[in-house]
Amino acid sequence: VQLQASGGGLVQPGGSLRLSCATSGFSLDSRTIGWFRQAPGKEREGVSCISSRDGMPYYADSVRGRFTISKDNAKNAVYLQMNSLKPDDSAVYYCATSPLPLGDRSWYIPMNFGSWGQGTQVTVSS
């Protein structure tokens, strides 16, 4: 199981970025896959995921309506479209996968994810 995140960068407030997570070694339909972020001095937090339990997307309250998670099984890739970015969205973003069929009370817990990609830095600043 391997994951590699990319697509981060510097963007102005209100701008957009699309993060990509290239995966290998597993089927996207067989595992829960998620995006997390960690800002300096803060704990890692769940941003969004697609659960293997029901295929539904889950979002943190802070990003719902602005971020969209999607996947392309043919490309073994997962994406995070981030719109209306705010300075508080600045963090290192990680993609991760879990063999567990996580739901709304468990998808955002980093300990439930056993495989992680390296992070990609997102900085929202004018």
Side-chain angles (χ1 to χ4, degrees):
V1 174
Q2 291 187 325
L3 307 97
Q4 184 172 353
S6 61
L10 173 65
V11 63
Q12 292 187 343
S16 298
L17 278 176
R18 187 195 195 205
L19 303 183
S20 299
C21 179
T23 73
S24 63
F26 65 97
S27 165
L28 290 179
D29 287 339
S30 67
R31 298 173 69 98
T32 294
I33 188 156
W35 287 97
F36 289 76
R37 66 187 182 187
Q38 189 167 19
K42 295 187 177 181
E43 294 186 352
R44 190 167 297 189
E45 64 172 347
V47 176
S48 181
C49 94
I50 296 177
S51 173
S52 62
R53 184 181 74 171
D54 50 18
M56 295 297 293
Y58 294 88
Y59 296 98
D61 289 343
S62 59
V63 307
R64 187 175 292 110
R66 301 187 297 121
F67 291 12
T68 303
I69 190 171
S70 63
K71 64 179 181 177
D72 185 333
N73 287 8
K75 295 183 178 181
N76 294 318
V78 181
Y79 306 101
L80 186 68
Q81 178 66 44
M82 306 187 295
N83 299 329
S84 302
L85 282 161
K86 306 174 181 180
D88 284 349
D89 294 319
S90 298
V92 177
Y93 283 71
Y94 301 88
C95 56
T97 187
S98 170
L100 303 174
L102 302 175
D104 58 354
R105 297 184 180 183
S106 55
W107 72 266
Y108 51 86
I109 301 172
M111 285 184 59
N112 287 329
F113 290 76
S115 300
W116 294 78
Q118 92 293 350
T120 185
Q121 177 72 49
V122 172
T123 303
V124 184
S125 175
S126 55

